[in-house]
Amino acid sequence: QVQLVESGGGLVQAGGSLRLSCVASGSTRTINLMGWFRQAPGKQRELVARISSSGSTYHVDSVKGRFTISQDNAKNTMYLQMNSLKPEDTAVYYCNAATGYGNIWGQGTQVTVSS
């Protein structure tokens, strides 16, 4: 099994930056793809960015040029650098891992952007 623990959320003013971290433990060799999702109040959970084990990345249009997903395989850690934050980025951010056993989710970390 894989366990995921996120950190790095918080309250920031519009235009500010935050960096989220997701540490994976357990059977990390079974991870094929990792990603960040977010869920705002009253809305469905949505993909923000994802990264493959080889390092290929994808960012949704709404965060392109502002957010960057990366990973440090030696530390089993995935990051989401978020710059130029907007109030509409306010949400609970979840780390996700697609493994041979299925999808694994972290507990989530709150990001709040004030205007």
Side-chain angles (χ1 to χ4, degrees):
Q1 291 285 355
V2 171
Q3 296 80 42
L4 303 173
V5 178
E6 304 104 329
S7 62
L11 173 64
V12 64
Q13 289 187 333
S17 298
L18 284 173
R19 188 176 80 156
L20 306 182
S21 299
C22 173
V23 179
S25 61
S27 304
T28 57
R29 290 185 179 183
T30 66
I31 297 174
N32 301 312
L33 188 69
M34 294 191 73
W36 288 100
F37 288 71
R38 65 186 179 187
Q39 188 166 18
K43 295 188 177 181
Q44 288 190 332
R45 192 171 298 188
E46 62 178 6
L47 174 67
V48 176
R50 61 178 181 236
I51 186 166
S52 72
S53 55
S54 64
S56 297
T57 63
Y58 169 79
H59 300 78
V60 297
D61 286 346
S62 60
V63 307
K64 276 182 182 176
R66 300 189 299 123
F67 292 11
T68 303
I69 191 171
S70 63
Q71 62 188 6
D72 184 335
N73 291 328
K75 296 182 179 180
N76 290 327
T77 302
M78 176 179 66
Y79 303 98
L80 186 68
Q81 178 66 44
M82 305 187 293
N83 299 327
S84 303
L85 281 160
K86 304 176 181 179
E88 51 264 43
D89 295 318
T90 295
V92 178
Y93 284 70
Y94 295 92
C95 173
N96 172 268
T99 77
Y101 301 100
N103 267 323
I104 307 297
W105 295 93
Q107 82 285 356
T109 186
Q110 177 71 46
V111 171
T112 303
V113 185
S114 63
S115 57

